[in-house]
mmCIF file of all heavy atoms in Angstrom:
data_model
loop_
_atom_site.group_PDB
_atom_site.id
_atom_site.type_symbol
_atom_site.label_atom_id
_atom_site.label_comp_id
_atom_site.label_asym_id
_atom_site.label_seq_id
_atom_site.Cartn_x
_atom_site.Cartn_y
_atom_site.Cartn_z
ATOM 1 N N ASP A 702 -33.474 -19.785 -10.188
ATOM 2 C CA ASP A 702 -33.841 -18.523 -9.533
ATOM 3 C C ASP A 702 -32.857 -17.382 -9.859
ATOM 4 O O ASP A 702 -33.002 -16.251 -9.370
ATOM 5 C CB ASP A 702 -33.921 -18.711 -8.013
ATOM 6 C CG ASP A 702 -32.536 -19.098 -7.421
ATOM 7 O OD1 ASP A 702 -31.727 -19.708 -8.168
ATOM 8 O OD2 ASP A 702 -32.281 -18.731 -6.253
ATOM 9 N N VAL A 703 -31.830 -17.671 -10.630
ATOM 10 C CA VAL A 703 -30.789 -16.623 -10.833
ATOM 11 C C VAL A 703 -31.218 -15.554 -11.816
ATOM 12 O O VAL A 703 -31.031 -14.355 -11.497
ATOM 13 C CB VAL A 703 -29.460 -17.319 -11.292
ATOM 14 C CG1 VAL A 703 -28.453 -16.260 -11.758
ATOM 15 C CG2 VAL A 703 -28.886 -18.145 -10.160
ATOM 16 N N LEU A 704 -31.802 -15.890 -12.901
ATOM 17 C CA LEU A 704 -32.133 -14.899 -13.886
ATOM 18 C C LEU A 704 -33.386 -14.109 -13.433
ATOM 19 O O LEU A 704 -34.313 -14.661 -12.815
ATOM 20 C CB LEU A 704 -32.450 -15.546 -15.244
ATOM 21 C CG LEU A 704 -31.205 -16.035 -15.957
ATOM 22 C CD1 LEU A 704 -31.561 -16.894 -17.188
ATOM 23 C CD2 LEU A 704 -30.317 -14.876 -16.406
ATOM 24 N N PRO A 705 -33.397 -12.830 -13.638
ATOM 25 C CA PRO A 705 -34.476 -11.990 -13.096
ATOM 26 C C PRO A 705 -35.776 -12.092 -13.940
ATOM 27 O O PRO A 705 -35.729 -12.487 -15.076
ATOM 28 C CB PRO A 705 -33.906 -10.570 -13.186
ATOM 29 C CG PRO A 705 -32.914 -10.654 -14.317
ATOM 30 C CD PRO A 705 -32.376 -12.041 -14.374
ATOM 31 N N VAL A 706 -36.866 -11.703 -13.336
ATOM 32 C CA VAL A 706 -38.147 -11.615 -14.020
ATOM 33 C C VAL A 706 -38.485 -10.148 -14.156
ATOM 34 O O VAL A 706 -38.369 -9.366 -13.213
ATOM 35 C CB VAL A 706 -39.252 -12.350 -13.172
ATOM 36 C CG1 VAL A 706 -40.630 -12.099 -13.696
ATOM 37 C CG2 VAL A 706 -38.940 -13.829 -13.131
ATOM 38 N N ARG A 712 -39.418 -14.104 -17.570
ATOM 39 C CA ARG A 712 -38.098 -14.563 -17.070
ATOM 40 C C ARG A 712 -37.059 -14.177 -18.159
ATOM 41 O O ARG A 712 -37.229 -14.601 -19.302
ATOM 42 C CB ARG A 712 -38.144 -16.055 -16.798
ATOM 43 C CG ARG A 712 -36.865 -16.663 -16.309
ATOM 44 C CD ARG A 712 -36.471 -16.425 -14.883
ATOM 45 N NE ARG A 712 -37.373 -17.064 -13.926
ATOM 46 C CZ ARG A 712 -37.228 -16.984 -12.565
ATOM 47 N NH1 ARG A 712 -36.193 -16.261 -12.078
ATOM 48 N NH2 ARG A 712 -38.034 -17.560 -11.791
ATOM 49 N N PHE A 721 -29.318 -10.440 -12.872
ATOM 50 C CA PHE A 721 -29.555 -11.515 -11.932
ATOM 51 C C PHE A 721 -30.520 -10.958 -10.913
ATOM 52 O O PHE A 721 -30.627 -9.732 -10.737
ATOM 53 C CB PHE A 721 -28.268 -12.001 -11.247
ATOM 54 C CG PHE A 721 -27.405 -10.873 -10.719
ATOM 55 C CD1 PHE A 721 -27.675 -10.324 -9.453
ATOM 56 C CD2 PHE A 721 -26.381 -10.299 -11.505
ATOM 57 C CE1 PHE A 721 -26.936 -9.267 -8.986
ATOM 58 C CE2 PHE A 721 -25.668 -9.212 -11.003
ATOM 59 C CZ PHE A 721 -25.942 -8.717 -9.767
ATOM 60 N N CYS A 722 -31.201 -11.885 -10.226
ATOM 61 C CA CYS A 722 -32.117 -11.438 -9.176
ATOM 62 C C CYS A 722 -31.280 -11.230 -7.933
ATOM 63 O O CYS A 722 -30.599 -12.128 -7.465
ATOM 64 C CB CYS A 722 -33.153 -12.551 -8.982
ATOM 65 S SG CYS A 722 -34.103 -12.333 -7.405
ATOM 66 N N VAL A 723 -31.354 -10.021 -7.363
ATOM 67 C CA VAL A 723 -30.502 -9.750 -6.196
ATOM 68 C C VAL A 723 -30.913 -10.573 -4.990
ATOM 69 O O VAL A 723 -30.127 -10.718 -4.044
ATOM 70 C CB VAL A 723 -30.503 -8.252 -5.790
ATOM 71 C CG1 VAL A 723 -29.614 -7.427 -6.680
ATOM 72 C CG2 VAL A 723 -31.859 -7.653 -5.660
ATOM 73 N N ASN A 724 -32.087 -11.173 -5.038
ATOM 74 C CA ASN A 724 -32.536 -12.006 -3.934
ATOM 75 C C ASN A 724 -32.333 -13.504 -4.184
ATOM 76 O O ASN A 724 -32.727 -14.313 -3.324
ATOM 77 C CB ASN A 724 -33.983 -11.746 -3.602
ATOM 78 C CG ASN A 724 -34.173 -10.375 -2.916
ATOM 79 O OD1 ASN A 724 -33.441 -10.103 -1.978
ATOM 80 N ND2 ASN A 724 -35.067 -9.553 -3.417
ATOM 81 N N SER A 725 -31.762 -13.829 -5.297
ATOM 82 C CA SER A 725 -31.549 -15.260 -5.603
ATOM 83 C C SER A 725 -30.581 -15.895 -4.604
ATOM 84 O O SER A 725 -29.437 -15.430 -4.447
ATOM 85 C CB SER A 725 -31.020 -15.378 -7.042
ATOM 86 O OG SER A 725 -30.342 -16.621 -7.150
ATOM 87 N N TYR A 761 -34.063 -4.481 -11.252
ATOM 88 C CA TYR A 761 -35.322 -4.673 -10.581
ATOM 89 C C TYR A 761 -35.899 -6.053 -11.029
ATOM 90 O O TYR A 761 -36.052 -6.274 -12.225
ATOM 91 C CB TYR A 761 -36.309 -3.601 -10.943
ATOM 92 C CG TYR A 761 -36.254 -2.383 -10.045
ATOM 93 C CD1 TYR A 761 -35.030 -1.687 -9.890
ATOM 94 C CD2 TYR A 761 -37.378 -1.992 -9.291
ATOM 95 C CE1 TYR A 761 -34.978 -0.617 -9.043
ATOM 96 C CE2 TYR A 761 -37.266 -0.909 -8.448
ATOM 97 C CZ TYR A 761 -36.104 -0.237 -8.298
ATOM 98 O OH TYR A 761 -36.011 0.843 -7.448
ATOM 99 N N CYS A 762 -36.162 -6.925 -10.079
ATOM 100 C CA CYS A 762 -36.664 -8.220 -10.410
ATOM 101 C C CYS A 762 -38.065 -8.380 -9.802
ATOM 102 O O CYS A 762 -38.356 -7.822 -8.721
ATOM 103 C CB CYS A 762 -35.746 -9.308 -9.879
ATOM 104 S SG CYS A 762 -36.371 -11.001 -10.089
ATOM 105 N N TYR A 763 -38.933 -9.127 -10.465
ATOM 106 C CA TYR A 763 -40.318 -9.274 -9.997
ATOM 107 C C TYR A 763 -40.676 -10.749 -9.925
ATOM 108 O O TYR A 763 -41.712 -11.188 -10.316
ATOM 109 C CB TYR A 763 -41.274 -8.516 -10.934
ATOM 110 C CG TYR A 763 -40.943 -7.064 -11.040
ATOM 111 C CD1 TYR A 763 -39.978 -6.579 -11.940
ATOM 112 C CD2 TYR A 763 -41.605 -6.130 -10.239
ATOM 113 C CE1 TYR A 763 -39.680 -5.227 -12.034
ATOM 114 C CE2 TYR A 763 -41.284 -4.758 -10.284
ATOM 115 C CZ TYR A 763 -40.316 -4.341 -11.173
ATOM 116 O OH TYR A 763 -40.015 -2.984 -11.236
ATOM 117 N N CYS A 764 -39.746 -11.566 -9.450
ATOM 118 C CA CYS A 764 -40.006 -13.003 -9.413
ATOM 119 C C CYS A 764 -40.733 -13.430 -8.116
ATOM 120 O O CYS A 764 -40.914 -12.584 -7.225
ATOM 121 C CB CYS A 764 -38.644 -13.765 -9.514
ATOM 122 S SG CYS A 764 -37.635 -13.706 -8.036
ATOM 123 N N GLU A 765 -41.140 -14.655 -8.061
ATOM 124 C CA GLU A 765 -41.892 -15.120 -6.881
ATOM 125 C C GLU A 765 -41.044 -15.058 -5.600
ATOM 126 O O GLU A 765 -41.574 -14.701 -4.529
ATOM 127 C CB GLU A 765 -42.392 -16.550 -7.217
ATOM 128 C CG GLU A 765 -43.263 -17.205 -6.106
ATOM 129 C CD GLU A 765 -44.504 -16.404 -5.706
ATOM 130 O OE1 GLU A 765 -44.914 -15.511 -6.469
ATOM 131 O OE2 GLU A 765 -45.075 -16.664 -4.640
ATOM 132 N N ASN A 766 -39.777 -15.335 -5.761
ATOM 133 C CA ASN A 766 -38.892 -15.243 -4.630
ATOM 134 C C ASN A 766 -38.799 -13.808 -4.053
ATOM 135 O O ASN A 766 -38.862 -13.537 -2.867
ATOM 136 C CB ASN A 766 -37.514 -15.755 -5.077
ATOM 137 C CG ASN A 766 -36.499 -15.781 -3.957
ATOM 138 O OD1 ASN A 766 -36.824 -15.902 -2.789
ATOM 139 N ND2 ASN A 766 -35.225 -15.630 -4.367
ATOM 140 N N CYS A 767 -38.785 -12.839 -4.995
ATOM 141 C CA CYS A 767 -38.757 -11.439 -4.566
ATOM 142 C C CYS A 767 -40.132 -11.081 -3.906
ATOM 143 O O CYS A 767 -40.148 -10.342 -2.946
ATOM 144 C CB CYS A 767 -38.495 -10.531 -5.758
ATOM 145 S SG CYS A 767 -36.747 -10.528 -6.271
ATOM 146 N N ARG A 768 -41.211 -11.612 -4.458
ATOM 147 C CA ARG A 768 -42.514 -11.311 -3.893
ATOM 148 C C ARG A 768 -42.597 -11.805 -2.424
ATOM 149 O O ARG A 768 -43.004 -11.047 -1.534
ATOM 150 C CB ARG A 768 -43.625 -11.944 -4.731
ATOM 151 C CG ARG A 768 -45.021 -11.467 -4.310
ATOM 152 C CD ARG A 768 -46.141 -12.150 -5.083
ATOM 153 N NE ARG A 768 -46.338 -13.506 -4.631
ATOM 154 C CZ ARG A 768 -47.222 -13.874 -3.713
ATOM 155 N NH1 ARG A 768 -47.993 -12.954 -3.112
ATOM 156 N NH2 ARG A 768 -47.332 -15.146 -3.365
ATOM 157 N N TYR A 824 -41.821 -0.749 -3.110
ATOM 158 C CA TYR A 824 -41.019 -1.753 -3.860
ATOM 159 C C TYR A 824 -39.614 -1.201 -4.173
ATOM 160 O O TYR A 824 -38.635 -1.874 -4.046
ATOM 161 C CB TYR A 824 -41.698 -2.212 -5.170
ATOM 162 C CG TYR A 824 -41.187 -3.534 -5.585
ATOM 163 C CD1 TYR A 824 -41.359 -4.659 -4.733
ATOM 164 C CD2 TYR A 824 -40.442 -3.704 -6.755
ATOM 165 C CE1 TYR A 824 -40.838 -5.912 -5.055
ATOM 166 C CE2 TYR A 824 -39.943 -4.960 -7.090
ATOM 167 C CZ TYR A 824 -40.118 -6.057 -6.207
ATOM 168 O OH TYR A 824 -39.554 -7.283 -6.521
HETATM 169 ZN ZN1 LIG B 371 -36.286 -11.920 -8.038
#
Side-chain angles (χ1 to χ4, degrees):
D702 64 331
V703 170
L704 288 169
V706 170
R712 177 77 67 181
F721 49 84
C722 167
V723 283
N724 286 312
S725 156
Y761 270 60
C762 174
Y763 302 85
C764 73
E765 182 56 17
N766 182 27
C767 284
R768 190 182 76 90
Y824 203 61

